[in-house]
Amino acid sequence: MKKIFAMVAVAAGLLFAGNANAQLGVNIGYAPQTYTSTVTSGSNTNTTTTNMSGFFAGVNYNLNLTGDLNVSLGAQFRYNTSKDTLVNASVGTIVGGKSENTYTQSLIDIPILFNYGFNLNSALKLSVFVGPTISYALAGNTHNTTTVTVLGSDNVTESDSDWYGDNSNRKKLDVAATIGLNVQYNQFRLFGGYNMGLLNLTSADNTTLKASNIFVGVGMAL
């Protein structure tokens, strides 16, 4: 992964050094994440989905290649989270417990997006973009809190499960196919699109785990 980051950084440096029209931008947005797991056992296939709320912030450089064709290179931090609660869960022979899971994940994304713009008027521009987005997970965790009530007294236990620990089958690196639209009014941007993960994010046998998400954001060209 370090080699990928290094190659992208070198390529970006060479392009920016030779292009005076490179434009810096800052972006923030919302990107709800979906993980789809498919487990195959014989002729049976079971598919489950996990949905997480996601937020991102980052920077990008958009530089001209030729005419109205540009390429945007950037980096952004993304944070995903979700929670589920099972109330009145049975814990042994005791009924009335509560089990709550909080899921968190942080990632670094490197989008490399080719974009073509159309000037609608002197201040308004519409662009379409497509390209790969390289994602690398920095951390992922499931925090469980289980509460068991016995004769009015609560017994609380907590535990954590590292998504990328030594005994985990989960992989950190993903590459997504990205497509979307950007509207820019003067220096302000409104954009949205879709990321479709291309890699299997687990090494577990007979299992595939794919990521996908829509995203919407606002930004400013500096």
Side-chain angles (χ1 to χ4, degrees):
M1 185 62 198
K2 292 181 179 178
K3 292 182 178 179
I4 294 175
F5 278 108
M7 287 188 292
V8 171
V10 170
L14 292 174
L15 286 170
F16 298 151
N19 195 318
N21 295 321
Q23 186 178 54
L24 173 66
V26 294
N27 312 293
I28 60 172
Y30 178 62
Q33 181 89 340
T34 298
Y35 285 104
T36 303
S37 176
T38 303
V39 180
T40 303
S41 178
S43 59
N44 296 321
T45 300
N46 182 41
T47 299
T48 59
T49 59
T50 301
N51 298 308
M52 307 179 74
S53 297
F55 308 89
F56 65 88
V59 297
N60 73 288
Y61 274 100
N62 196 43
L63 57 100
N64 181 255
L65 295 178
T66 180
D68 293 320
L69 179 63
N70 305 276
V71 62
S72 173
L73 301 178
Q76 64 185 28
F77 174 80
R78 185 157 48 97
Y79 180 78
N80 298 325
T81 185
S82 65
K83 180 182 292 187
D84 60 46
T85 302
L86 182 61
V87 181
N88 293 327
S90 295
V91 182
T93 59
I94 300 172
V95 178
K98 180 175 72 172
S99 180
E100 182 178 83
N101 288 316
T102 300
Y103 310 96
T104 56
Q105 183 189 31
S106 56
L107 309 97
I108 292 292
D109 298 327
I110 301 179
I112 307 170
L113 304 176
F114 295 90
N115 54 94
Y116 190 88
F118 306 87
N119 290 315
L120 301 180
N121 58 42
S122 60
L124 187 63
K125 184 176 183 178
L126 174 67
S127 301
V128 295
F129 57 84
V130 62
T133 295
I134 303 167
S135 296
Y136 187 76
L138 301 175
N141 185 68
T142 300
H143 181 79
N144 175 264
T145 302
T146 299
T147 303
V148 179
T149 303
V150 181
L151 299 178
S153 178
D154 290 340
N155 179 30
V156 180
T157 59
E158 298 186 58
S159 62
D160 288 278
S161 177
D162 185 355
W163 291 11
Y164 306 104
D166 293 338
N167 298 320
S168 174
N169 293 317
R170 199 150 180 168
K171 300 177 182 179
K172 292 185 174 184
L173 179 65
D174 195 14
V175 178
T178 302
I179 187 170
L181 292 172
N182 176 80
V183 178
Q184 181 167 329
Y185 180 76
N186 291 326
Q187 74 269 38
F188 298 102
R189 297 170 175 168
L190 174 65
F191 59 90
Y194 179 73
N195 288 316
M196 181 179 68
L198 302 178
L199 303 184
N200 183 7
L201 299 179
T202 180
S203 60
D205 293 338
N206 305 315
T207 304
T208 59
L209 179 66
K210 295 289 185 73
S212 63
N213 67 275
I214 60 171
F215 58 90
V216 292
V218 294
M220 177 180 292
L222 303 178

